[in-house]
Amino acid sequence: QVQLVQSGAEVKKPGASVKVSCKASGYTFTSYYIHWVRQAPGQGLEWMGVIYPSVGTTSYALKFQGRVTMTRDTSTSTVYMELSSLRSKDTAVYYCARAGYRSPLDYWGQGTPVTVSS
Amino acid sequence: DIQMTQSPSSLSASVGDRVTITCRASQSIATYLNWYQQKPGKAPKLLISAASSLQSGVPSRFSGSGSGTDFTLTISSLQPEDFATYYCQQSYSSLMFTFGQGTKLEI
């Protein structure tokens, strides 16, 4: 069965970086996009960006360009999302999710809480 | 970027009610519109894809319609487990998804 398993909760200080992993299993890793979505406490879903593991192509939301980097390791079927220059407003649950081309986010990771606090 | 505007942002209803949530795109997205349900502390769950295609296992009281820029999610007879937050999302732009701001459905 398809599974996306994310790394555990993180606590970071302002100005630091965080790197969250998302390990895929149960399907052909290189055939689907992996998107990252975050949700601040009490807020809605915010799309951050996407990576196509087959070739490593990425696209980021304008808001995060320059601060986010998405990479993949095809040998372990793992995608990484690194967010730098963290501030308190980055406190959120970060989700990875799978999608085909122009398709919905059909499988989601369990979410990784990231807390940014001094 | 394609903007998605959902309304209402919150909705009070009772068990058995029929409710409709609307979603409008800032440009035509054909039928590349998806609906998700999210309960507190959980990841979103895909309910409807391609504007009207019900996902396997989703009760038939859920339905979706629309094309172009205007879309609706309808729940024909609310059940206690339906009280949650609902989001629309466009997948027309494959490398730049966007979500609506969400509709919180409350008792």
Side-chain angles (χ1 to χ4, degrees):
Chain A
Q1 72 283 22
V2 175
Q3 278 194 304
L4 298 174
V5 179
Q6 298 182 222
S7 49
E10 301 266 11
V11 179
K12 296 291 182 181
K13 293 195 182 302
S17 297
V18 68
K19 192 170 187 177
V20 180
S21 67
C22 172
K23 183 173 176 59
S25 62
Y27 72 97
T28 302
F29 177 64
T30 51
S31 296
Y32 290 82
Y33 297 80
I34 294 289
H35 295 253
W36 289 88
V37 176
R38 78 176 187 179
Q39 186 169 40
Q43 302 301 307
L45 301 172
E46 181 173 33
W47 184 83
M48 297 181 68
V50 58
I51 184 167
Y52 188 48
S54 176
V55 292
T57 306
T58 56
S59 176
Y60 305 133
L62 196 62
K63 174 178 180 176
F64 298 103
Q65 284 183 13
R67 275 210 308 144
V68 70
T69 304
M70 296 175 188
T71 57
R72 92 293 192 209
D73 181 343
T74 54
S75 68
T76 60
S77 299
T78 302
V79 168
Y80 301 91
M81 187 282 297
E82 184 170 22
L83 187 63
S84 62
S85 302
L86 290 169
R87 38 241 196 193
S88 58
K89 289 184 178 181
D90 294 317
T91 294
V93 177
Y94 290 75
Y95 294 100
C96 63
R98 185 191 85 158
Y101 176 72
R102 277 184 156 181
S103 293
L105 300 162
D106 57 359
Y107 287 92
W108 294 65
Q110 81 275 22
T112 296
V114 175
T115 302
V116 182
S117 174
S118 55
Chain B
D1 292 6
I2 300 173
Q3 308 302 317
M4 306 302 295
T5 303
Q6 234 179 289
S7 61
S9 55
S10 65
L11 179 57
S12 294
S14 301
V15 173
D17 283 354
R18 177 186 180 90
V19 299
T20 297
I21 299 168
T22 65
C23 183
R24 174 165 288 175
S26 60
Q27 67 180 71
S28 177
I29 56 171
T31 57
Y32 292 98
L33 190 282
N34 311 300
W35 291 98
Y36 301 85
Q37 177 192 65
Q38 188 181 32
K39 295 183 177 179
K42 300 292 188 182
K45 172 189 173 183
L46 177 64
L47 293 179
I48 290 171
S49 63
S52 61
S53 181
L54 203 63
Q55 295 304 292
S56 175
V58 175
S60 59
R61 61 181 179 273
F62 290 90
S63 64
S65 65
S67 67
T69 60
D70 293 314
F71 302 87
T72 59
L73 171 69
T74 299
I75 310 172
S76 60
S77 178
L78 275 173
Q79 298 302 300
E81 60 268 29
D82 300 337
F83 291 94
T85 302
Y86 294 85
Y87 295 92
C88 62
Q89 174 252 327
Q90 65 81 17
S91 53
Y92 178 83
S93 179
S94 64
L95 296 180
M96 195 71 67
F97 283 4
T98 42
F99 289 91
Q101 67 267 45
T103 296
K104 187 174 184 179
L105 183 50
E106 300 174 300
I107 300 173

